[in-house]
Amino acid sequence: MAGAQPQGLGPTRRGALVSLAAAGLARPAWSAAPPLALQGVFTQGGFAIGRTAPRARILLDGQDAGQASAQGLFIVGFDRDAGAAADLIVRTPDGETARTLVIGKVDYDIQRIDGLPKDEVEPTDPALLARIALEARRKAAGFASLADDDSFRRGFILPVQGARLTARFGGQRILDGVPKRPHYGDDLAAPVGTPVAAPADGRVAFAETGLHYEGGLIMIDHGQGLISLYLHLSKVDVAGGQEVVRGQIIGAVGKEGRATGPHLCWRMKWRGRNLDPMLLVGAAAP
Ligand SMILES: [Zn+2]
């Protein structure tokens, strides 16, 4: 309780905190505070790749975000609907460094449509529902993959060459006032059979064909909770657990599952947050 604290200390402490905040430090910087360099896209759906002390603890908005690699590299992501600021802390046994990141707001493509019949009918067939539930369980295991490495460090390339970006990350339709699930991917339109390459090094966390919604689906774990997804594939050339390198062909573009035409729906997740994969193309460690 405030009344129990020595009255004289209150204003002094507050003053010190205010001046630290003005210097961009949310917490006191100790003498042995770890170094921190950041590079990335600081917007909703964006990310930051950081360099700090090897194996430093990373916290984002007060939540545990794992450990930096042995080289001191780490990655954090900002959700599609992330707030205006993100609090980043890197911590070692000797001290910690904190930084408040200003996160830019993105104007997503929002379409308001009224008076149209429902274009999607929710499945009701019990056998199909059971199949969808089983697929969801297997996918959840893929999402849970959490490689303790920094396969993201060499950066990302486009997974499909010569494709057309037909639907951007974050778009959303509002049907008769009811917001539908946002589009959490970037759609890269290309003919069926166009090779799909791993955009960065990683380990295959999921690889299956014939899923109800996704058709052929691959997930690649790039380390520290960063997982990329490849949907509607006509061909899957890798298996779960397999290591892949940037540029390696992993499958082919298709229109399997719930897709209106041939394209790769490319998605990216970081610890459950949805990132815009296109923002990672060309990214590099600081
Ligand atoms: Zn898509």
Side-chain angles (χ1 to χ4, degrees):
M1 284 176 66
Q5 289 177 356
Q7 292 300 312
L9 285 178
T12 312
R13 281 185 174 165
R14 244 192 322 273
L17 284 174
V18 166
S19 62
L20 282 168
L25 300 164
R27 307 252 165 122
W30 302 344
S31 56
L36 176 58
L38 290 172
Q39 203 152 292
V41 179
F42 297 6
T43 65
Q44 292 177 327
F47 66 96
I49 298 178
R51 186 182 288 278
T52 183
R55 308 308 282 161
R57 276 265 148 224
I58 312 300
L59 292 101
L60 187 72
D61 293 329
Q63 291 185 329
D64 175 48
Q67 274 183 288
S69 68
Q71 285 73 40
L73 292 175
F74 69 92
I75 188 163
V76 294
F78 314 119
D79 192 65
R80 173 189 184 271
D81 300 308
D87 289 318
L88 177 67
I89 295 175
V90 297
R91 180 180 290 164
T92 67
D94 301 325
E96 67 175 39
T97 298
R99 197 165 297 173
T100 297
L101 311 176
V102 175
I103 306 301
K105 194 171 161 51
V106 175
D107 282 326
Y108 296 113
D109 179 23
I110 308 293
Q111 295 181 310
R112 287 184 173 75
I113 304 166
D114 294 319
L116 280 185
K118 274 192 176 174
D119 64 342
E120 283 180 17
V121 179
E122 295 299 323
T124 53
D125 173 43
L128 178 56
L129 286 172
R131 175 188 156 193
I132 290 171
L134 279 175
E135 291 177 358
R137 289 234 299 272
R138 298 203 301 275
K139 284 186 285 184
F143 285 124
S145 180
L146 193 54
D148 182 18
D149 64 38
D150 55 12
S151 298
F152 53 82
R153 69 184 176 279
R154 290 203 298 140
F156 287 72
I157 59 170
L158 276 172
V160 181
Q161 295 303 312
R164 220 159 27 92
L165 183 59
T166 52
R168 287 229 59 165
F169 172 87
Q172 188 175 33
R173 287 183 303 165
I174 299 173
L175 299 181
D176 292 320
V178 181
K180 308 299 282 186
R181 195 168 187 266
H183 183 233
Y184 286 126
D186 285 305
D187 284 351
L188 300 167
V192 170
T194 304
V196 174
D201 299 349
R203 186 169 176 274
V204 177
F206 185 98
E208 285 193 26
T209 55
L211 297 175
H212 174 71
Y213 289 112
E214 299 90 352
L217 171 66
I218 295 173
M219 300 183 194
I220 301 178
D221 183 343
H222 303 288
Q224 298 180 16
L226 187 69
I227 294 176
S228 61
L229 290 85
Y230 309 82
L231 284 72
H232 310 306
L233 300 172
S234 60
K235 203 157 153 277
V236 169
D237 294 331
V238 290
Q242 187 178 334
E243 303 282 343
V244 293
V245 295
R246 189 174 64 181
Q248 179 179 339
I249 302 305
I250 57 172
V253 171
K255 52 178 182 176
E256 318 298 312
R258 293 282 292 270
T260 50
H263 73 283
L264 173 70
C265 184
W266 185 24
R267 299 188 185 185
M268 192 82 68
K269 274 184 177 279
W270 180 78
R271 295 176 183 265
R273 295 164 177 85
N274 293 289
L275 312 188
D276 181 349
M278 289 298 284
L279 297 181
L280 278 129
V281 175

